[in-house]
Amino acid sequence: GESVGLHLPTLSVQEGDNSIINCAYSNSASDYFIWYKQESGKGPQFIIDIRSNMDKRQGQRVTVLLNKTVKHLSLQIAATQPGDSAVYFCAENRGYGNKLVFGAGTILRVKS
Amino acid sequence: EAGVTQFPSHSVIEKGQTVTLRCDPISGHDNLYWYRRVMGKEIKFLLHFVKESKQDESGMPNNRFLAERTGGTYSTLKVQPAELEDSGVYFCASSPLTGLRYGYTFGSGTRLTVV
């Protein structure tokens, strides 16, 4: 069945360093991917998205890379800050409006 | 623009009782979704409304869960009777019917604890 999973459950980085969070997906028919950040007591917050016809997309301090050949998605955070500490989820979608399939999540801890 | 609103934010009930969660989507968003996260695991899909119609309810765990969206505005998710394994955080999300910008907007969730 469909699944989206993460390689690492917890990532600890030093403030100012770059962070890379990885995600593997299994549904080759997925055409839209989203990264969410979830802080304690809050709902998932949109960070960045990418469609399957792209392999890279950049936002403010964040970059998402998509490798369809190996079904891999990554989120890069530049100059990680303490406020980036949260759980990060990747999610995939097949067809606009359809359900999102989430990965298990990666905890990002930023050390000052 | 108000975001997706959910209440209550927390609910503690005893096994066998009934609980009703409510979600108010962003105004004008015809798509409304319910998800839940149990015991720190992944966020799992429950069901999807398009306006007042159930588009996909493949994620509903059993018939103790009943979702409604009368009038195509707010939605409720009722759990009756609640079991211990229903504990978790229930999220609601909404998106417009056309176009897809900034993904799906999530509410802050309702933390349900069944004791």
Side-chain angles (χ1 to χ4, degrees):
Chain A
E2 302 177 347
S3 69
V4 179
L6 298 175
H7 295 305
L8 300 173
T10 304
L11 177 65
S12 294
V13 299
Q14 195 67 37
E15 180 180 359
D17 288 350
N18 296 333
S19 302
I20 299 177
I21 301 172
N22 296 302
C23 176
Y25 65 95
S26 61
N27 190 342
S28 58
S30 293
D31 56 11
Y32 180 60
F33 304 86
I34 309 173
W35 280 101
Y36 283 96
K37 171 187 180 183
Q38 187 184 5
E39 297 174 279
S40 180
K42 299 181 180 179
Q45 178 188 355
F46 173 91
I47 301 174
I48 192 168
D49 59 0
I50 188 168
R51 298 192 182 278
S52 58
N53 60 353
M54 303 171 67
D55 55 19
K56 179 179 180 179
R57 189 159 189 234
Q58 288 185 296
Q60 187 177 11
R61 283 201 307 118
V62 295
T63 300
V64 55
L65 299 177
L66 175 63
N67 186 330
K68 295 182 288 294
T69 302
V70 295
K71 298 178 191 171
H72 185 266
L73 192 68
S74 69
L75 176 69
Q76 300 178 358
I77 304 173
T80 312
Q81 303 169 0
D84 294 328
S85 294
V87 180
Y88 289 80
F89 294 94
C90 64
E92 54 138 336
N93 170 265
R94 181 160 54 99
Y96 174 71
N98 291 335
K99 65 183 179 185
L100 293 173
V101 177
F102 282 85
T106 293
I107 299 172
L108 176 64
R109 292 198 177 106
V110 182
K111 298 174 286 185
S112 299
Chain B
E1 176 185 73
V4 176
T5 306
Q6 292 186 247
F7 42 92
S9 57
H10 294 83
S11 181
V12 181
I13 61 171
E14 294 184 349
K15 176 183 174 181
Q17 290 186 322
T18 298
V19 62
T20 300
L21 314 180
R22 171 167 169 151
C23 169
D24 285 70
I26 292 174
S27 178
H29 281 194
D30 290 324
N31 286 312
L32 186 149
Y33 313 83
W34 282 98
Y35 292 84
R36 73 172 178 177
R37 188 177 181 209
V38 175
M39 291 183 63
K41 296 183 178 179
E42 68 267 31
I43 300 172
K44 286 196 170 182
F45 168 81
L46 295 177
L47 88 158
H48 169 206
F49 283 100
V50 176
K51 298 184 180 180
E52 68 275 8
S53 300
K54 292 177 183 176
Q55 181 76 11
D56 180 357
E57 50 185 330
S58 61
M60 295 289 265
N62 51 61
N63 59 11
R64 295 186 293 105
F65 290 74
L66 175 64
E68 295 179 327
R69 193 183 182 194
T70 305
T73 54
Y74 71 91
S75 175
T76 58
L77 179 64
K78 179 189 289 187
V79 184
Q80 178 183 30
E83 299 290 343
L84 298 178
E85 64 263 26
D86 300 332
S87 295
V89 183
Y90 289 75
F91 294 106
C92 176
S94 71
S95 69
L97 199 55
T98 57
L100 186 61
R101 187 180 180 191
Y102 303 126
Y104 302 64
T105 305
F106 281 79
S108 297
T110 294
R111 180 173 294 277
L112 175 64
T113 303
V114 183
V115 297

PDB file of all heavy atoms in Angstrom, chain A residues 64-77:
ATOM      1  N   VAL A  64      13.365  22.451  -0.881  1.00  0.00           N
ATOM      2  CA  VAL A  64      12.885  21.083  -0.986  1.00  0.00           C
ATOM      3  C   VAL A  64      13.447  20.491  -2.268  1.00  0.00           C
ATOM      4  O   VAL A  64      13.452  21.125  -3.316  1.00  0.00           O
ATOM      5  CB  VAL A  64      11.335  21.004  -0.961  1.00  0.00           C
ATOM      6  CG1 VAL A  64      10.708  21.876  -2.029  1.00  0.00           C
ATOM      7  CG2 VAL A  64      10.871  19.571  -1.085  1.00  0.00           C
ATOM      8  N   LEU A  65      13.960  19.278  -2.137  1.00  0.00           N
ATOM      9  CA  LEU A  65      14.491  18.552  -3.274  1.00  0.00           C
ATOM     10  C   LEU A  65      13.669  17.287  -3.486  1.00  0.00           C
ATOM     11  O   LEU A  65      13.326  16.596  -2.520  1.00  0.00           O
ATOM     12  CB  LEU A  65      15.957  18.174  -3.024  1.00  0.00           C
ATOM     13  CG  LEU A  65      16.922  19.334  -2.823  1.00  0.00           C
ATOM     14  CD1 LEU A  65      18.319  18.793  -2.507  1.00  0.00           C
ATOM     15  CD2 LEU A  65      16.973  20.237  -4.042  1.00  0.00           C
ATOM     16  N   LEU A  66      13.368  17.013  -4.724  1.00  0.00           N
ATOM     17  CA  LEU A  66      12.588  15.832  -5.061  1.00  0.00           C
ATOM     18  C   LEU A  66      13.356  14.986  -6.058  1.00  0.00           C
ATOM     19  O   LEU A  66      13.738  15.466  -7.127  1.00  0.00           O
ATOM     20  CB  LEU A  66      11.240  16.242  -5.662  1.00  0.00           C
ATOM     21  CG  LEU A  66      10.341  15.125  -6.180  1.00  0.00           C
ATOM     22  CD1 LEU A  66       9.934  14.190  -5.046  1.00  0.00           C
ATOM     23  CD2 LEU A  66       9.113  15.709  -6.871  1.00  0.00           C
ATOM     24  N   ASN A  67      13.574  13.740  -5.702  1.00  0.00           N
ATOM     25  CA  ASN A  67      14.240  12.794  -6.584  1.00  0.00           C
ATOM     26  C   ASN A  67      13.253  11.684  -6.893  1.00  0.00           C
ATOM     27  O   ASN A  67      13.074  10.759  -6.102  1.00  0.00           O
ATOM     28  CB  ASN A  67      15.500  12.237  -5.929  1.00  0.00           C
ATOM     29  CG  ASN A  67      16.298  11.353  -6.873  1.00  0.00           C
ATOM     30  OD1 ASN A  67      15.747  10.708  -7.767  1.00  0.00           O
ATOM     31  ND2 ASN A  67      17.603  11.328  -6.684  1.00  0.00           N
ATOM     32  N   LYS A  68      12.619  11.782  -8.024  1.00  0.00           N
ATOM     33  CA  LYS A  68      11.573  10.817  -8.370  1.00  0.00           C
ATOM     34  C   LYS A  68      12.154   9.461  -8.720  1.00  0.00           C
ATOM     35  O   LYS A  68      11.488   8.444  -8.606  1.00  0.00           O
ATOM     36  CB  LYS A  68      10.728  11.360  -9.525  1.00  0.00           C
ATOM     37  CG  LYS A  68       9.935  12.613  -9.151  1.00  0.00           C
ATOM     38  CD  LYS A  68       9.079  13.091 -10.290  1.00  0.00           C
ATOM     39  CE  LYS A  68       9.900  13.715 -11.408  1.00  0.00           C
ATOM     40  NZ  LYS A  68      10.568  14.977 -10.971  1.00  0.00           N
ATOM     41  N   THR A  69      13.399   9.437  -9.148  1.00  0.00           N
ATOM     42  CA  THR A  69      14.018   8.164  -9.527  1.00  0.00           C
ATOM     43  C   THR A  69      14.089   7.221  -8.338  1.00  0.00           C
ATOM     44  O   THR A  69      13.815   6.027  -8.459  1.00  0.00           O
ATOM     45  CB  THR A  69      15.422   8.411 -10.089  1.00  0.00           C
ATOM     46  OG1 THR A  69      15.340   9.282 -11.209  1.00  0.00           O
ATOM     47  CG2 THR A  69      16.061   7.097 -10.511  1.00  0.00           C
ATOM     48  N   VAL A  70      14.458   7.781  -7.188  1.00  0.00           N
ATOM     49  CA  VAL A  70      14.566   6.944  -5.987  1.00  0.00           C
ATOM     50  C   VAL A  70      13.451   7.235  -4.995  1.00  0.00           C
ATOM     51  O   VAL A  70      13.493   6.755  -3.861  1.00  0.00           O
ATOM     52  CB  VAL A  70      15.940   7.134  -5.321  1.00  0.00           C
ATOM     53  CG1 VAL A  70      17.039   6.617  -6.236  1.00  0.00           C
ATOM     54  CG2 VAL A  70      16.189   8.597  -4.963  1.00  0.00           C
ATOM     55  N   LYS A  71      12.483   8.025  -5.415  1.00  0.00           N
ATOM     56  CA  LYS A  71      11.327   8.356  -4.569  1.00  0.00           C
ATOM     57  C   LYS A  71      11.770   8.938  -3.231  1.00  0.00           C
ATOM     58  O   LYS A  71      11.444   8.415  -2.153  1.00  0.00           O
ATOM     59  CB  LYS A  71      10.459   7.124  -4.349  1.00  0.00           C
ATOM     60  CG  LYS A  71       9.876   6.553  -5.631  1.00  0.00           C
ATOM     61  CD  LYS A  71       9.068   5.306  -5.330  1.00  0.00           C
ATOM     62  CE  LYS A  71       8.705   4.590  -6.605  1.00  0.00           C
ATOM     63  NZ  LYS A  71       8.103   3.258  -6.323  1.00  0.00           N
ATOM     64  N   HIS A  72      12.511  10.009  -3.320  1.00  0.00           N
ATOM     65  CA  HIS A  72      13.080  10.615  -2.135  1.00  0.00           C
ATOM     66  C   HIS A  72      12.812  12.113  -2.125  1.00  0.00           C
ATOM     67  O   HIS A  72      12.890  12.788  -3.163  1.00  0.00           O
ATOM     68  CB  HIS A  72      14.596  10.344  -2.103  1.00  0.00           C
ATOM     69  CG  HIS A  72      15.259  10.816  -0.862  1.00  0.00           C
ATOM     70  ND1 HIS A  72      15.844  12.059  -0.774  1.00  0.00           N
ATOM     71  CD2 HIS A  72      15.429  10.229   0.338  1.00  0.00           C
ATOM     72  CE1 HIS A  72      16.358  12.205   0.434  1.00  0.00           C
ATOM     73  NE2 HIS A  72      16.124  11.116   1.133  1.00  0.00           N
ATOM     74  N   LEU A  73      12.496  12.584  -0.952  1.00  0.00           N
ATOM     75  CA  LEU A  73      12.175  13.999  -0.743  1.00  0.00           C
ATOM     76  C   LEU A  73      13.027  14.489   0.419  1.00  0.00           C
ATOM     77  O   LEU A  73      13.201  13.762   1.399  1.00  0.00           O
ATOM     78  CB  LEU A  73      10.698  14.113  -0.380  1.00  0.00           C
ATOM     79  CG  LEU A  73       9.994  15.449  -0.363  1.00  0.00           C
ATOM     80  CD1 LEU A  73       9.863  16.005  -1.756  1.00  0.00           C
ATOM     81  CD2 LEU A  73       8.614  15.293   0.271  1.00  0.00           C
ATOM     82  N   SER A  74      13.555  15.680   0.303  1.00  0.00           N
ATOM     83  CA  SER A  74      14.307  16.219   1.433  1.00  0.00           C
ATOM     84  C   SER A  74      13.969  17.685   1.658  1.00  0.00           C
ATOM     85  O   SER A  74      13.550  18.392   0.742  1.00  0.00           O
ATOM     86  CB  SER A  74      15.815  16.059   1.215  1.00  0.00           C
ATOM     87  OG  SER A  74      16.253  16.908   0.174  1.00  0.00           O
ATOM     88  N   LEU A  75      14.145  18.082   2.898  1.00  0.00           N
ATOM     89  CA  LEU A  75      13.936  19.478   3.298  1.00  0.00           C
ATOM     90  C   LEU A  75      15.248  19.992   3.849  1.00  0.00           C
ATOM     91  O   LEU A  75      15.791  19.395   4.784  1.00  0.00           O
ATOM     92  CB  LEU A  75      12.842  19.576   4.358  1.00  0.00           C
ATOM     93  CG  LEU A  75      12.600  20.969   4.933  1.00  0.00           C
ATOM     94  CD1 LEU A  75      11.980  21.883   3.875  1.00  0.00           C
ATOM     95  CD2 LEU A  75      11.723  20.912   6.181  1.00  0.00           C
ATOM     96  N   GLN A  76      15.739  21.046   3.280  1.00  0.00           N
ATOM     97  CA  GLN A  76      16.961  21.659   3.763  1.00  0.00           C
ATOM     98  C   GLN A  76      16.619  22.998   4.411  1.00  0.00           C
ATOM     99  O   GLN A  76      15.923  23.814   3.815  1.00  0.00           O
ATOM    100  CB  GLN A  76      17.956  21.865   2.616  1.00  0.00           C
ATOM    101  CG  GLN A  76      18.347  20.560   1.928  1.00  0.00           C
ATOM    102  CD  GLN A  76      19.292  20.781   0.761  1.00  0.00           C
ATOM    103  OE1 GLN A  76      19.638  21.903   0.418  1.00  0.00           O
ATOM    104  NE2 GLN A  76      19.717  19.684   0.151  1.00  0.00           N
ATOM    105  N   ILE A  77      17.114  23.178   5.618  1.00  0.00           N
ATOM    106  CA  ILE A  77      16.910  24.432   6.334  1.00  0.00           C
ATOM    107  C   ILE A  77      18.272  25.084   6.517  1.00  0.00           C
ATOM    108  O   ILE A  77      19.171  24.478   7.117  1.00  0.00           O
ATOM    109  CB  ILE A  77      16.242  24.200   7.701  1.00  0.00           C
ATOM    110  CG1 ILE A  77      14.916  23.451   7.540  1.00  0.00           C
ATOM    111  CG2 ILE A  77      16.009  25.533   8.415  1.00  0.00           C
ATOM    112  CD1 ILE A  77      14.279  23.040   8.863  1.00  0.00           C
TER     113      ILE A  77
END
